[in-house]
Amino acid sequence: MIKKLSILLFLFAACAAFGAPADPAIPVFGANGKGGVSLSSPMQVIILLTLLTLLPAAIMSMTPFLRIVIVLHFLRQALGTQTTPSNQVTIGLAMFLAFLIMQPVVADIYHHGWEPVENGQVTWQQGFEDGSKPLKAFLLRFAREKDIKTCIEIAKSPPPRTPQDLDLKVLIPAYILSEMKAGFQIGAVLFLPFLIIDLVVASVTLSIGMIQLPPVMISAPFKILLFVLVDGWNLVVGSLMKSFY
């Protein structure tokens, strides 16, 4: 799965490198013996270093990772467990759930974009265009029209005739804005039942004169017990996964 996602980012970097002027003293492209085109070793190293830099940002911003990690952070804050689960566990869970959702999309990108280029059937530009279509379709499903319009105005791009004509430079920030709003909405809803428990416990402790005792110390076990009894992890993760299908 990670290899296929790296191939997607490879297309972005390779397309950018293909459009840049190359030094004639350094061969960038060569024959691979099958009628296709292969990259020279220096160019492969440059692209690999570029991928290592862009891969974390792409995973966090162009996949469901963004919404999932925001919701899990809100859930941890609502439970009152500041460091449990840890950031590593939260990020790891969000990353693997994002991979699970993105697997069909990355498979389509691999088959329609990378394989024809690797076999020498199409050029890098055509391979990038064909490979970006499944990604555009995924981003369009969750990007709000209002956010897309805002990004078009910021980029000063002409309005597209169809949604499929939108550029990735417009779709990606619109998708990020939409996912952030969706994550905050879900997080606010998760906060409500735990907020009610905090208010009830605070009212009881104040009514019996326990002013110096922080209500959070008493409400935290009740919130954790309620979350465990209703099988909260299954409900939260299941609802998040269903929201992407």
Side-chain angles (χ1 to χ4, degrees), residues 134-241:
L135 180 61
K136 287 183 179 181
F138 175 81
L139 298 178
L140 279 171
R141 288 174 54 193
F142 304 102
R144 298 187 308 156
E145 183 179 353
K146 184 178 180 181
D147 294 329
I148 294 176
K149 182 178 179 180
T150 301
C151 293
I152 291 177
E153 294 176 353
I154 294 175
K156 298 181 180 179
S157 301
R161 293 178 297 177
T162 62
Q164 288 72 22
D165 295 334
L166 288 169
D167 293 332
L168 285 175
K169 66 179 181 181
V170 173
L171 273 178
I172 292 176
Y175 172 80
I176 295 174
L177 292 176
S178 302
E179 287 296 283
M180 290 179 64
K181 179 179 180 180
F184 273 77
Q185 288 176 338
I186 298 174
V189 174
L190 286 175
F191 248 105
L192 293 179
F194 301 108
L195 180 61
I196 294 175
I197 295 178
D198 287 333
L199 292 176
V200 171
V201 172
S203 300
V204 173
T205 55
L206 289 176
S207 63
I208 62 179
M210 300 175 62
I211 301 176
Q212 296 181 353
L213 181 64
V216 178
M217 295 182 61
I218 302 177
S219 63
F222 289 101
K223 292 189 290 186
I224 296 174
L225 180 61
L226 174 64
F227 189 73
V228 172
L229 289 177
V230 300
D231 198 6
W233 287 113
N234 188 22
L235 291 176
V236 172
V237 173
S239 300
L240 277 174
M241 298 296 287

